């Protein structure tokens, strides 16, 4: 199965809110608590290192640490944060960090002074070396903490992207299977089979065999990378036989696989969506039905496969179609052959009308 | 199950797959021997034509058929059914797989059978239909209203036929006139009328022919402003001047500033009543 490995980066992923999740009350509270823990460590370290009253060290550490945190964490919102990480980028981030440390230090130490009834800005009047060392320490610690928050956000972002990618793949698989095992087709086929069992047992058995071959190909075909063109034509024939039981005279088919082409390798069930479209949109809605021709030919260095119907024509194709079948064929061709393969869909040019789908693949010389 | 209840009745089967049509007929023969299948047709248009010509009491309609769907056929039959007091046929829809439609059927209390048809389930359906037909025979005139109500609800739910999820409402119709494209504001449209695979777009000044079916156009129209009054007609409600009811109960609309008169089908007659 062509599982897309290069999932398009989708900035509009439904689970990525325009505002980052760390901008919620819970997000701020979590950050605040972590900062509180760090501050406590710093307070203890200062008390051990500098001696003196440990309670005073602790209060200053908390005031300064929480002020820096508050300025930085709430300040992020004013600095165009990246919607995916919740942090500003480049120079904005540097400005935010430096500003928050200086401002937070000023605010926190003043707060501490006020709490202990000291003259305001007491610490700023001390030795400039001391002040600078405190500031540098704050800068280092806050850079460390904000780096930690940032890294955590990055991790969560990556996890979310991974989950979204896995969901996309699962959805794609399901859609592929649904498109191949269309319930309407399956139940109608079973209904016909049920009737035939009583009416014409040998034919019922034959129809059951064709259904089994079709189901087996559908369910396992997605796993094999390539199979011979003759096998592809056999699967298409099974499917068309099933449809013929259902549609009766309204469906006439013609399969044309010239000698020497049967061994060419093609992706399994590549033609299936094209044949299904031809029936579903071309012949089934047409009261009189029509003819379906599946053919292969060699054109120089290319293998050309075509599916043509004489049905309702392109203009009748509902505009609301998801084109899942077509885009799936295109995607598989692109994965295997890049630019060298193509699918085109056009109105058939002869008098019978209808639609012509053409697949061009590189000729493989084996 | 009262499959032994041998009530004579007539039925029409519309099913595009020949084997399934033959099988349904055979199963019915076994379950309800007195039921006479007067016609078996392979597409919606034929179902409408034959139902109106033969006037069966019961219709088995496949949902997905080439051309007109089973539901569209039911609508056409209900709208064109003659006004002579004969009751509308009882409806049984037949479908292979269509979850949304099933929900709609249940809500509207319309009978349906799933393919492959199981005899036990079909027997239940037959019993229910027999009860309905009996009730109609004794109730008389009221029955047609009940049948119309079911159909209205089914059509209102939109699910079985709606080809597209509701797209954004159109504001402008682009109509080709010769080599020019005319942009017609939807707000200026008096009414839309289905004309085969086209839609006639009628404004005060002139009319245009647009290459889209009414079925495709409907989901793109604001149905608060525009009212469907017939399977082929959608009219801007504030362009309607009067609704005239004749002796037979048929409603005709006159428009403001335009001479055209529009017929309201019985399915939509309930839209017009004094406040």
């Amino acid at each position: 199965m062509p599982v897309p490995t290069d999932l398009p980066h989708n900035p509009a992923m439904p689970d990525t809110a325009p505002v980052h999740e760390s901008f919620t009350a819970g997000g701020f509270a979590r950050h605040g608590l972590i900062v509180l823990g760090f501050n406590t460590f710093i307070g203890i370290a200062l008390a051990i290192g500098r001696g003196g009253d440990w309670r005073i060290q602790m209060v200053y550490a908390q005031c300064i640490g929480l002020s820096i945190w508050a300025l930085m964490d709430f300040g992020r919102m004013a600095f165009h944060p990246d919607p995916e990480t919740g942090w500003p980028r480049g120079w904005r981030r540097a400005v935010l960090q430096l500003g928050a440390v200086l401002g937070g230090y000023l605010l926190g130490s003043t707060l501490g002074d006020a709490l202990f009834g000291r003259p305001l800005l007491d610490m700023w009047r001390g030795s400039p070396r001391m002040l600078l060392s405190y500031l540098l320490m704050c800068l280092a610690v806050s850079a460390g903490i904000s780096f930690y928050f940032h890294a955590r956000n990055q991790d969560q972002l990556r996890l979310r992207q991974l989950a979204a990618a896995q969901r996309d793949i699962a959805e794609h698989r399901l859609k592929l299977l649904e498109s191949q095992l269309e319930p309407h087709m399956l139940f109608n086929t079973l209904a016909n089979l049920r009737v035939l069992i009583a009416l014409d047992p040998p034919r019922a058995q034959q129809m059951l065999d064709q259904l089994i071959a079709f189901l087996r190909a559908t369910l396992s075909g997605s796993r094999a990378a390539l199979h011979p063109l003759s096998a592809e034509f056999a699967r298409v024939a099974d499917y068309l036989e099933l449809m013929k039981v259902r549609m009766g005279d309204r469906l006439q088919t013609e399969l044309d696989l010239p000698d020497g082409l049967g061994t060419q390798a093609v992706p399994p069930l590549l033609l299936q969506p094209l044949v299904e479209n031809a029936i579903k949109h071309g012949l089934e809605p047409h009261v009189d039905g029509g003819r379906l021709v599946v053919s292969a030919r060699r054109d120089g260095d290319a293998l050309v496969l075509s599916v043509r119907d004489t049905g309702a024509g392109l203009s009748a194709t509902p505009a609301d179609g998801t084109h899942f079948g077509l885009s799936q064929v295109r995607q598989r061709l692109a994965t295997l052959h890049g630019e060298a393969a193509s699918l085109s869909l056009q109105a058939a040019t002869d008098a019978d009308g209808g639609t012509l789908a053409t697949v061009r693949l590189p000729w493989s010389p084996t | 199950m009262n499959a032994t209840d041998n009530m004579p009745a007539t039925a029409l089967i519309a099913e595009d797959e020949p084997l399934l049509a033959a099988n349904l007929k055979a199963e019915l023969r076994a379950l309800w021997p007195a039921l006479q299948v007067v016609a078996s047709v392979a597409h919606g248009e034929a179902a409408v034509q034959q139902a109106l010509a033969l006037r069966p009491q019961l219709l088995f309609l496949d949902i997905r058929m080439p051309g007109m769907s089973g539901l569209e056929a039911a609508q056409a039959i209900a709208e064109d059914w003659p006004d002579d007091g004969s009751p509308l046929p009882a409806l049984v829809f037949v479908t292979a797989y269509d979850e949304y439609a099933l929900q709609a059927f249940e809500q509207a209390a319309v009978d349906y059978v799933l393919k492959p048809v199981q005899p036990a389930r079909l027997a239940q359906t037959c019993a229910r239909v027999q009860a309905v037909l009996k009730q109609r025979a004794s109730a008389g005139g009221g029955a047609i209203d009940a049948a119309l109500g079911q159909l209205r609800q089914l059509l209102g739910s939109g699910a079985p036929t709606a080809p597209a999820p509701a797209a954004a409402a159109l504001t402008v119709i682009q109509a080709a006139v010769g080599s020019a494209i005319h942009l017609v504001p939807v707000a200026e449209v008096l009414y839309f009328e289905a004309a085969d695979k086209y839609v006639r777009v009628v404004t005060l000044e002139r009319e245009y022919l647009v290459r889209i079916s009414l079925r495709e156009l409907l989901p793109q129209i604001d149905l608060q402003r525009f009212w469907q009054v017939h399977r082929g007609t959608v009219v801007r409600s504030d362009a309607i001047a009067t609704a005239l009811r004749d002796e037979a109960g048929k409603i005709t609309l006159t428009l403001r500033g335009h001479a055209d008169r529009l017929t309201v089908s019985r399915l939509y007659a309930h839209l017009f009543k004094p406040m």
Side-chain angles (χ1 to χ4, degrees), chain B residues 242-252 269-274:
Chain B
T242 55
L244 306 166
R245 192 185 292 266
D246 68 11
E247 319 74 79
K250 221 175 184 64
I251 297 179
T252 309
H270 65 292
L271 292 173
F272 300 96
K273 50 181 185 283

Side-chain angles (χ1 to χ4, degrees), chain A residues 192 242-251 279 283-286 289-290, chain B residues 16-18:
Chain A
N192 275 289
L242 290 175
M243 292 307 294
K244 266 192 202 163
V245 175
R246 292 185 42 203
M247 293 175 67
D249 297 339
R250 293 177 54 229
L251 176 62
I279 290 185
L283 300 177
E284 233 179 9
H286 215 43
Chain B
D16 59 320
E17 304 197 18

